[in-house]
Amino acid sequence: MAWQLSAILTGHKGDVKAVIAPTDDLIASVSRDKSLITWKRESSNKFMQDKTFNGHTNYVNSVAFIGASEANPHGLIVTGGSDKLINVWDPEDSSSPVYTLVGHTDNVCSLFADTDGHIVSGSWDRTAKIWRNWQCVYTLEGHTQAIWGVLELEHEVIVTASADKTIAMWKDGKKIKTITGHEDCVRSLALLPGVGFVSCGNDGAVIVWSNNGDPVQALDGHTSFVYSLATLPTGEIFSSGEDRTVRVWENGKCKQTIIHPCVSVWCVAALPNGDIVSGGSDGFVRVFTRTAERVADADTLKAYDEENAATTIPSNQVGDIKKDDLPGSEALGQPGKKDQEVKMVRVGNTVEAHMWSNAQQEWSKIGEVVDAVGQNRKQLYGGIEYDHVFDIDVGEGVPALKLPFNVTENPYTAAQEFLTRHDLPQVYLDQVADFITKNARAVSQGAAAATGDPLTGGSRYTPSQNTSSGLGSYNPWGSDAPKAQPTVKRLIPQLLNVPFKDANLPAIQKKMLQLNTELAPSGVALDSAESTQLDGLFKFLGTPPKQPVSQPQYLALLLKIFNTWPETSRFPALDLLRLLALYSKDPIETPNLLKTLLTASRTHEASLMLVARLVVNFCETEKGREVAINEISTILEFMEDDAVWQSTNKNLKLAVATVYMSYSTLLLKRHDDDALAIQYVGVITKILEKERDQQVQYRLLVALGNLIFAHESAKESAAIFEVRRVVQAAVLSRPTSEKITTTPVANEIVNLL
């Protein structure tokens, strides 16, 4: 029987980066939404979300399981994240980790745990660590780039896979062998009982190795990065990758290709009963089976097939395509030459991909190919035509993000908008801009666009060289890729607002319930109906609409809490209000809301910080921007208060600096507001004379640069306020190690003057 969908597990709000299945009835998954979720079987083809664990402060990228013991009867789940931490959890207690292991200096992207409770971790810091009794006993050093995969091959023998394209074997903390064979970053490892182990990588290869590290077999079939591996005692191998597939291998051949309706299938794992589970860039966990009683119902299977058929396939996954040379749909009348053969046909102006099934003796549509090359046409992004739409890989294992670019644009402006749109760190700016410069030039000259991996800088696997936009990114530890030619570095003007969208809703809800219980004797606590309404608000914010809608009952509830609860207890309501402003029309349509909240929050730093974030979130919608600009004088009067800038609360100052940056983007388009622009050039310059935090400085500098860029009178006033001297003293005169983030924008301001 072929593998078929068994269950779809819905609950994550970001890419699912790793999964494990300790038992037939328990699955654990980790995600870019910073959470670990456990799922328990409810029926033969249904799992229900059990617990959510929120102990990491950044992406959670790896997971392992330690079996049950007398001390830990439920076993332990181990997670690693971009916050550099390893957390160890009791599966039945999501309140806090049992242990937190500290030692890595960068993202923990791989984990392995054995039955004795020993843990092996691999990190971007180029080391692997062996942990026993929750202490690091060995640090394995020798790889020159990030370690993506780790496993214990046999007692005391550890295997590591690295972005330096090698696999290493270690014993007692010392390297005993270096294995070569991959042509690009090695991403994952898995034990293969009776043979040795399996590896996969960015070269699209899956390679079987003996226990001694000798090559046994290469499995060829993936058309892009291969991210993850799993095996069964039967010898079957499962691999998942960026070509939307999990592939099933048996006796060296691809037995089945399981298409997914997402760009990247980040992870795959096996259940003890022989089923498999995958996690994808669409945030879903999926279980597949070949046992009839565990197959999903007919409606679920049909919906899944339709979702796959509706998915678009990037042309870089299928090679160079010229529509005019493709056959029409009549070609599907001929049977395929082999199982899982993919055929592309032209249907009107659309290119469809179909896969042949020997078992069913029919073609099944698996998607529509987009960005077909060879047509000399522009590419669409967001309904707009661009000369290029690049795929950019940033950070650890993040799915490719779209970067639209026209050759008439400044690469640094496009890079800045890209970073802002995806909430990426400013330190990536130069690498993204250099990538645009290099690849836009290569494509325009008819050469193949450079492609690369975020950690290696090396070539990314593609089935053929063509002139489509390539994939690329930065390399944290240097790259041997050709350097782009110098270009003008432009951070100003900054056109986009930077909203505050992140929130730990379970933590906020827990705090609200705690405060409500504590306030019960005072008579201001929420009653049962209001508590039910509060639950509805959390559900609304957990799955928000794409466009703001009217939800007046939630605004009324939050304002009641704000007005009746003590000052020290009402800050969670403000936190919810700044989120509600992103998805509901009601806060924006309430007269004098911002002024009222600011007046009441002036003496409480946490509340003032949250109101500042609310102002920034107002600037996300057209109506909200109108309200914000109408109340600019009132709002910025509060932001100028000396108490704000004398505070040691960095989060408060960062929120207020973001308010200035948001208003500067609004004033870019209001050239008649010279008086305001001049006023705030003076205010910001005064703040910069004393403020030394880089993140706060950066946002203030962007605001200052926007005002000087857009208003000639503001530029003239800069001499009066001694902007050049202040910027040089605040930023340019500091040691290089202290001004990485702020130097480029500071230089642009000086150049504008």
Side-chain angles (χ1 to χ4, degrees):
M1 179 178 173
W3 295 87
Q4 292 182 270
L5 181 70
S6 173
I8 300 176
L9 285 53
T10 305
H12 281 297
K13 297 180 178 64
D15 297 42
V16 178
K17 295 306 307 298
V19 291
I20 52 170
T23 72
D24 292 340
D25 301 323
L26 175 66
I27 292 172
S29 56
V30 297
S31 167
R32 288 186 66 207
D33 63 11
K34 309 176 188 177
S35 76
L36 156 71
I37 294 179
T38 53
W39 315 80
K40 290 188 176 179
R41 187 183 294 276
E42 189 176 66
S43 64
S44 61
N45 59 4
K46 188 174 183 180
F47 284 79
M48 293 297 292
Q49 184 172 335
D50 182 43
K51 291 180 176 61
T52 301
F53 302 72
N54 290 298
H56 286 279
T57 59
N58 209 325
Y59 302 158
V60 191
N61 300 308
S62 50
V63 64
F65 186 78
I66 298 172
S69 64
E70 185 176 345
N72 300 290
H74 304 119
L76 295 169
I77 300 174
V78 187
T79 57
S82 295
D83 55 7
K84 312 172 190 176
L85 302 178
I86 299 170
N87 284 329
V88 183
W89 306 86
D90 181 336
E92 297 301 320
D93 183 4
S94 60
S95 61
S96 61
V98 180
Y99 303 100
T100 295
L101 311 184
V102 180
H104 281 294
T105 59
D106 215 324
N107 171 35
V108 182
C109 53
S110 55
L111 288 169
F112 181 91
D114 67 15
T115 54
D116 296 326
H118 300 161
I119 298 169
V120 186
S121 57
S123 169
W124 275 19
D125 64 13
R126 294 170 277 182
T127 72
K129 293 182 181 289
I130 301 174
W131 309 80
R132 293 176 186 159
N133 297 319
W134 323 118
Q135 301 294 320
C136 179
V137 295
Y138 291 116
T139 296
L140 311 182
E141 298 179 295
H143 283 293
T144 59
Q145 292 185 13
I147 295 178
W148 285 91
V150 293
L151 63 79
E152 186 179 55
L153 186 60
E154 53 189 54
H155 186 63
E156 301 291 346
V157 177
I158 304 300
V159 184
T160 55
S162 172
D164 63 13
K165 309 177 187 178
T166 70
I167 298 169
M169 300 179 74
W170 313 75
K171 187 175 178 65
D172 297 327
K174 297 179 180 180
K175 186 188 290 188
I176 58 175
K177 187 170 187 175
T178 298
I179 303 168
T180 59
H182 279 282
E183 298 178 358
D184 210 330
C185 168
V186 191
R187 299 295 288 253
S188 184
L189 301 166
L191 291 169
L192 187 59
V195 179
F197 64 96
V198 192
S199 65
C200 66
N202 283 8
D203 53 7
V206 177
I207 303 177
V208 180
W209 308 87
S210 71
N211 277 324
N212 295 322
D214 299 320
V216 175
Q217 193 172 45
L219 310 178
D220 183 34
H222 280 283
T223 59
S224 192
F225 290 3
V226 187
Y227 291 130
S228 179
L229 294 163
T231 61
L232 285 176
T234 58
E236 291 166 293
I237 299 169
F238 306 90
S239 56
S240 71
E242 198 177 351
D243 56 6
R244 297 176 56 209
T245 70
V246 169
R247 294 180 187 252
V248 184
W249 307 87
E250 188 174 22
N251 298 322
K253 295 182 179 180
C254 183
K255 181 180 178 182
Q256 186 176 346
T257 299
I258 305 173
I259 301 293
H260 285 58
C262 56
V263 174
S264 306
V265 188
W266 289 118
C267 50
V268 62
L271 280 71
N273 63 10
D275 290 355
I276 55 174
V277 57
S278 66
S281 56
D282 56 1
F284 292 108
V285 177
R286 296 178 173 91
V287 181
F288 296 88
T289 187
R290 53 186 168 185
T291 302
E293 57 265 27
R294 293 197 294 270
V295 173
D297 60 68
D299 288 343
T300 301
L301 292 175
K302 180 181 178 183
Y304 184 65
D305 289 341
E306 290 174 350
E307 188 177 8
N308 270 324
T311 303
T312 56
I313 304 171
S315 60
N316 64 1
Q317 292 183 6
V318 291
D320 193 8
I321 304 166
K322 191 171 183 179
K323 280 186 187 177
D324 296 341
D325 294 341
L326 292 175
S329 56
E330 67 277 0
L332 300 176
Q334 297 295 321
K337 297 178 181 178
K338 61 179 181 179
D339 193 38
Q340 297 165 38
E341 175 189 351
V342 175
K343 177 177 289 188
M344 277 160 290
V345 297
R346 187 182 70 255
V347 181
N349 290 320
T350 302
V351 175
E352 294 183 354
H354 294 254
M355 179 179 286
W356 175 255
S357 168
N358 275 343
Q360 299 175 350
Q361 286 293 297
E362 64 178 20
W363 294 96
S364 297
K365 181 182 174 184
I366 59 172
E368 296 180 356
V369 182
V370 295
D371 294 337
V373 301
Q375 302 299 303
N376 295 319
R377 64 177 175 83
K378 291 200 173 190
Q379 299 181 59
L380 286 175
Y381 177 79
I384 301 172
E385 285 191 337
Y386 291 89
D387 294 318
H388 311 288
V389 177
F390 295 115
D391 288 331
I392 303 290
D393 290 331
V394 288
E396 185 279 323
V398 179
L401 303 175
K402 298 297 183 184
L403 192 162
F405 179 71
N406 285 316
V407 294
T408 55
E409 286 185 88
N410 184 300
Y412 272 81
T413 300
Q416 178 61 59
E417 292 178 357
F418 170 78
L419 296 182
T420 302
R421 182 165 58 250
H422 295 289
D423 293 329
L424 296 171
Q426 196 63 32
V427 71
Y428 292 8
L429 180 72
D430 283 346
Q431 290 91 337
V432 175
D434 287 348
F435 168 78
I436 295 171
T437 303
K438 179 171 59 180
N439 285 276
R441 181 186 301 115
V443 173
S444 65
Q445 293 172 349
T451 60
D453 179 79
L455 297 183
T456 67
S459 296
R460 177 175 188 161
Y461 177 84
T462 53
S464 64
Q465 292 297 323
N466 56 53
T467 58
S468 64
S469 302
L471 306 171
S473 180
Y474 85 111
N475 180 347
W477 308 300
S479 169
D480 53 10
K483 300 294 183 183
Q485 295 299 314
T487 185
V488 178
K489 301 184 178 183
R490 290 285 299 277
L491 297 175
I492 297 171
Q494 159 77 28
L495 304 175
L496 300 178
N497 188 51
V498 183
F500 290 94
K501 292 183 176 181
D502 288 344
N504 187 340
L505 289 175
I508 299 173
Q509 189 170 22
K510 182 178 179 180
K511 187 65 177 179
M512 292 285 284
L513 293 174
Q514 174 194 332
L515 291 171
N516 196 53
T517 301
E518 293 172 356
L519 291 171
S522 67
V524 298
L526 302 180
D527 60 28
S528 59
E530 291 167 331
S531 296
T532 301
Q533 199 173 67
L534 184 64
D535 290 339
L537 172 58
F538 279 103
K539 291 178 182 178
F540 173 76
L541 294 175
T543 55
K546 293 183 179 180
Q547 297 295 330
V549 296
S550 182
Q551 295 285 351
Q553 72 278 19
Y554 296 143
L555 175 62
L557 177 66
L558 294 177
L559 290 180
K560 176 188 175 180
I561 294 172
F562 183 83
N563 290 323
T564 60
W565 284 19
E567 184 179 52
T568 55
S569 302
R570 64 193 185 195
F571 61 90
L574 284 174
D575 211 6
L576 294 175
L577 186 55
R578 59 100 182 173
L579 294 172
L580 188 64
L582 293 169
Y583 311 116
S584 169
K585 302 175 181 179
D586 306 292
I588 291 168
E589 295 176 350
T590 303
N592 300 316
L593 177 65
L594 295 177
K595 182 178 180 179
T596 301
L597 296 175
L598 282 167
T599 302
S601 304
R602 194 164 199 161
T603 60
H604 191 261
E605 287 189 349
S607 296
L608 185 59
M609 174 197 70
L610 293 169
V611 179
R613 291 181 175 183
L614 174 64
V615 173
V616 174
N617 287 359
F618 262 49
C619 296
E620 274 296 279
T621 64
E622 183 176 354
K623 180 64 176 176
R625 288 189 286 270
E626 290 179 13
V627 173
I629 205 69
N630 288 336
E631 299 188 28
I632 183 171
S633 297
T634 300
I635 291 169
L636 292 183
E637 180 183 346
F638 284 93
M639 305 297 139
E640 295 170 28
D641 196 315
D642 287 342
V644 171
W645 298 104
Q646 291 170 3
S647 170
T648 58
N649 188 328
K650 175 184 172 179
N651 288 331
L652 169 62
K653 292 193 286 186
L654 187 63
V656 174
T658 310
V659 172
Y660 280 111
M661 191 167 71
S662 296
Y663 271 119
S664 76
T665 64
L666 301 184
L667 290 173
L668 279 171
K669 303 174 183 179
R670 298 175 66 91
H671 298 289
D672 55 340
D673 284 330
D674 284 349
L676 277 174
I678 293 170
Q679 178 184 349
Y680 293 114
V681 166
V683 171
I684 294 170
T685 305
K686 179 182 176 182
I687 296 169
L688 281 169
E689 286 196 86
K690 296 181 179 180
E691 181 57 46
R692 289 296 178 266
D693 181 86
Q694 280 197 72
Q695 288 182 289
V696 176
Q697 269 192 349
Y698 179 84
R699 298 192 180 199
L700 291 170
L701 287 166
V702 169
L704 184 61
N706 275 351
L707 295 170
I708 293 172
F709 177 89
H711 297 266
E712 188 64 29
S713 57
K715 181 177 179 180
E716 293 171 358
S717 72
I720 300 172
F721 296 121
E722 297 183 290
V723 170
R724 184 190 297 270
R725 176 190 64 78
V726 171
V727 169
Q728 288 176 331
V731 179
L732 301 180
S733 63
R734 297 173 71 182
T736 301
S737 61
E738 297 179 11
K739 60 182 184 182
I740 295 172
T741 302
T742 50
T743 297
V745 68
N747 280 326
E748 286 194 36
I749 291 173
V750 171
N751 290 337
L752 283 173
L753 298 174

